[in-house]
Amino acid sequence: MPSRLSADVLVIGTGAAGLTLALSLPRHLNIYLICKGKLGSGSTAWAQGGVAGVLDQVDSVDDHVSDTLTAGGGLCEPKAVRHTVERSTAAIQWLIDQGVPFTHEDGSDVDYHLTREGGHSHRRIIHAADATGRAISETLVERVQQRANIHVLEDHVAVDLITRRKALPGQDDPNRCLGAYVLDKSRDRVITVGARATVLASGGASKVYLFTSNPDGATGDGIAMAWRAGCRVVNMEFNQFHPTCLYHPKAKSFLISEAVRGEGGRLILPDGQRFMPRFDDRGELAPRDVVARAIDHEMKRLGADHLYLDISHKPADFIRNHFPTIYERCLSYGIDMTREPIPVVPAAHYTCGGIRTDVQARTDLDGLYAAGECAYTGLHGANRLASNSLLECIVYAQAAAEHILSEALPEPDADRLPLWDESRVSDSDEKVVISHNWDEIRRFMWDYVGIVRTDKRLERARRRVQLLKQEIQEYYANFRITADLLELRNLAVVAELIIESALSRKESRGLHYTLTYPTQQETAEITVLSPLN
């Protein structure tokens, strides 16, 4: 492969947002997709629940908007919420047209089965059994592989965005994103990819925490790169902890879908007692932040490592038919969910904040778009309503594609862009620094910046992350880059953004709960951080 590539559109990330964007662009455009691992290995494939949308006659756009605003704790941007929900039916129809095998009602080839999850007032979640994300990912991957104009670079990691101001100084033209430097892991070299338009669809940052439901690649790369390139980030303090991850020494990051609670699953203590009604009238169907805090509270009160989710009172055939993936995975660990409760623990699940974008997915930097979990669109506010995330991926990826097509894009500057310079670095003989710092960040983020926070804990985390960032930057400047170093560098950036955002919020709201300021202020304001560069 050459050391320099030229694209009409460069898409960093191959989850639902990245794949949708590539498929929404015409075949005459030359598109490059950057994939950290193998195609289809991102967070989308791990999503179990489904896609929320207005699909039933008893439901309405207004009801879906209202539920989203309520879950968002007063911080959703109503324009963005309505923009998204109004496009939900068309977005889901697009997925159906692509061939996503959503589950039908028993005995019907036309009507789709809709489930209900916490915070929703209606059954409006279309799903493919309990592996919706995998079904969407596999379908879109197959479509992408049929397109000759879409080139997938597997096992490639984006290093940094290329901006005109830094790459081509001295020009009078306004600053613009011109592409990205990308590490080819298999050949251990950095290539320069020039692009007329660049899209960040790189997912969230939940790997910054010790326990997470996300795959290993969720290291906040896009957020960190956009921040370094001069883009604002918003609401980074709002990190959603999924209440129910499988608790087992051999189970890594396996989520027990909220749909289990939606279909009657009960959260219980080790003695079998239900506890959610003591915390919220909605019980197990309360929003995720309420449920996660309740579980965290009971675990600390009892000194327990985990609690339980029980749906064994439902017929065994019902459980196996509705949750085949969860049933088989639990069974592989010796847990029969048709007969016994599932051990569960909260885990970092979703990054509600991210790169500031508008309804066309544009960022602060011309030529740069963001879609999916790395972006802040205004849809989620202080908490994400269940199953709105996959919907957001589709709607805003399509919006970015529409805007890219409407623009008179400049010719790519690939031939003029500087190549990656490794003339002043050497191979590292201290790789233990990377693994140690990686573990340290994730542990202090879990201990000090987790489900329940205090200013004292946040200040401790701030001091540690500032020292680590200096150490990481010194390492980055002196040694050849690796995928692990890039992810560590990005983790440190997003950790600091989360900490600074959390310290700036002098209240408890949504997913941000602090014992220092346990009440909610009357005025709701988003948290906006602006880079100095």
Side-chain angles (χ1 to χ4, degrees):
M1 179 176 291
S3 58
R4 198 190 306 267
L5 296 173
S6 182
D8 289 314
V9 182
L10 171 63
V11 183
I12 300 172
T14 54
L19 296 171
T20 297
L21 192 133
L23 291 169
S24 299
L25 292 169
R27 294 174 184 268
H28 70 269
L29 291 180
N30 186 35
I31 302 165
Y32 276 91
L33 281 176
I34 304 300
C35 183
K36 288 177 76 171
K38 300 303 179 185
L39 192 57
S41 61
S43 293
T44 293
W46 292 51
Q48 295 174 349
V51 189
V54 181
L55 302 168
D56 191 274
Q57 291 183 349
V58 302
D59 199 2
S60 69
V61 168
D62 285 344
D63 285 352
H64 192 167
V65 167
S66 177
D67 291 345
T68 302
L69 293 174
T70 299
L75 280 188
C76 297
E77 297 186 18
K79 178 182 176 182
V81 174
R82 186 162 292 276
H83 173 88
T84 308
V85 173
E86 285 178 345
R87 288 157 178 77
S88 63
T89 307
I92 291 169
Q93 184 61 51
W94 182 83
L95 289 172
I96 293 171
D97 293 342
Q98 301 307 305
V100 177
F102 290 117
T103 299
H104 287 86
E105 289 282 9
D106 291 341
S108 174
D109 294 329
V110 178
D111 297 325
Y112 290 98
H113 180 267
L114 303 179
T115 190
R116 181 182 174 190
E117 296 179 343
H120 288 275
S121 58
H122 297 282
R123 284 182 173 265
R124 63 165 68 100
I125 316 300
I126 191 171
H127 61 100
D130 62 346
T132 307
R134 187 173 66 193
I136 290 173
S137 179
E138 289 176 353
T139 301
L140 299 187
V141 163
E142 183 178 353
R143 291 288 187 180
V144 161
Q145 291 172 333
Q146 297 169 355
R147 294 274 294 267
N149 68 312
I150 301 176
H151 314 285
V152 181
L153 301 182
E154 293 184 317
D155 295 316
H156 283 64
V157 182
V159 179
D160 257 327
L161 298 170
I162 302 173
T163 62
R164 181 179 286 152
R165 182 176 297 159
K166 290 184 178 179
L168 303 172
Q171 293 193 353
D172 293 332
D173 294 333
N175 197 26
R176 183 179 181 85
C177 184
L178 303 177
Y181 291 113
V182 178
L183 173 65
D184 179 345
K185 293 195 290 184
S186 62
R187 294 177 174 83
D188 195 26
R189 65 168 185 161
V190 177
I191 58 176
T192 303
V193 185
R196 302 169 72 189
T198 302
V199 184
L200 293 170
S202 50
S206 288
K207 202 67 181 179
V208 77
Y209 287 101
L210 185 61
F211 299 109
T212 175
S213 64
N214 286 200
D216 290 341
T219 49
D221 302 339
I223 297 170
M225 287 190 292
W227 174 258
R228 289 193 292 265
C231 295
R232 291 172 295 167
V233 299
V234 179
N235 282 3
M236 287 298 292
E237 70 270 37
F238 296 113
N239 303 279
Q240 189 175 74
F241 288 79
H242 198 286
T244 54
C245 262
L246 178 62
Y247 181 84
H248 190 279
K250 295 183 180 179
K252 182 180 180 182
S253 306
F254 186 71
L255 184 69
I256 305 299
S257 170
E258 188 160 354
V260 174
R261 285 180 284 130
E263 294 297 340
R266 301 165 182 165
L267 286 163
I268 59 174
L269 301 176
D271 64 1
Q273 177 187 349
R274 282 183 73 198
F275 60 90
M276 275 309 303
R278 290 193 278 111
F279 291 89
D280 194 285
D281 291 341
R282 292 165 289 188
E284 282 79 5
L285 290 179
R288 287 175 177 173
D289 61 317
V290 176
V291 180
R293 279 201 302 275
I295 294 174
D296 183 71
H297 177 274
E298 292 299 293
M299 286 172 56
K300 289 176 178 174
R301 181 178 69 85
L302 297 171
D305 292 328
H306 62 280
L307 298 181
Y308 295 92
L309 177 59
D310 188 15
I311 196 171
S312 61
H313 53 278
K314 288 280 189 177
D317 286 344
F318 174 90
I319 295 171
R320 284 191 288 262
N321 290 335
H322 278 75
F323 308 109
T325 305
I326 297 173
Y327 172 76
E328 291 295 338
R329 179 63 67 90
C330 288
L331 203 61
S332 72
Y333 296 122
I335 304 162
D336 185 349
M337 62 186 288
T338 68
R339 297 173 177 269
E340 60 188 319
I342 305 166
V344 293
V345 66
H349 181 59
Y350 193 86
T351 307
C352 285
I355 308 157
R356 177 80 195 201
T357 64
D358 62 12
V359 293
Q360 296 171 309
R362 294 182 297 176
T363 71
D364 293 331
L365 183 61
D366 283 348
L368 180 67
Y369 301 79
E373 193 174 350
C374 69
Y376 167 82
T377 64
L379 175 64
H380 302 312
N383 190 8
R384 177 178 69 89
L385 184 65
S387 291
N388 268 353
S389 53
L390 287 172
L391 172 64
E392 182 185 41
C393 287
I394 309 305
V395 169
Y396 285 89
Q398 292 177 339
E402 290 173 8
H403 190 267
I404 289 169
L405 292 175
S406 71
E407 287 283 276
L409 297 175
E411 289 302 314
D413 286 322
D415 291 339
R416 294 196 298 149
L417 297 179
L419 297 175
W420 186 256
D421 182 10
E422 287 190 333
S423 62
R424 291 170 290 182
V425 298
S426 61
D427 290 324
S428 171
D429 58 357
E430 291 289 338
K431 292 185 179 179
V432 67
V433 173
I434 296 178
S435 60
H436 175 83
N437 287 354
W438 180 288
D439 291 341
E440 185 175 348
I441 287 176
R442 298 180 66 212
R443 188 166 292 280
F444 76 64
M445 287 296 291
W446 181 261
D447 290 340
Y448 299 149
V449 199
I451 296 174
V452 178
R453 303 162 177 173
T454 68
D455 273 7
K456 188 175 182 179
R457 293 174 189 170
L458 293 173
E459 289 288 358
R460 286 183 185 137
R462 173 194 263 171
R463 289 193 294 270
R464 281 160 174 75
V465 80
Q466 288 173 347
L467 289 171
L468 281 174
K469 278 189 67 184
Q470 293 175 9
E471 190 171 300
I472 293 165
Q473 185 55 40
E474 180 181 347
Y475 192 101
Y476 179 84
N478 289 291
F479 299 111
R480 286 191 176 88
I481 60 174
T482 64
D484 286 343
L485 175 58
L486 293 176
E487 290 186 333
L488 174 64
R489 180 180 180 232
N490 293 331
L491 276 177
V493 171
V494 295
E496 186 173 44
L497 292 172
I498 292 168
I499 294 163
E500 294 300 331
S501 296
L503 278 167
S504 70
R505 184 164 294 281
K506 308 301 182 184
E507 64 168 348
S508 289
R509 183 184 295 272
L511 300 167
H512 174 73
Y513 184 78
T514 170
L515 297 175
T516 308
Y517 305 99
T519 58
Q520 182 173 292
Q521 293 182 351
E522 291 184 9
T523 303
E525 295 182 359
I526 61 175
T527 303
V528 182
L529 300 181
S530 298
L532 297 177
N533 57 325

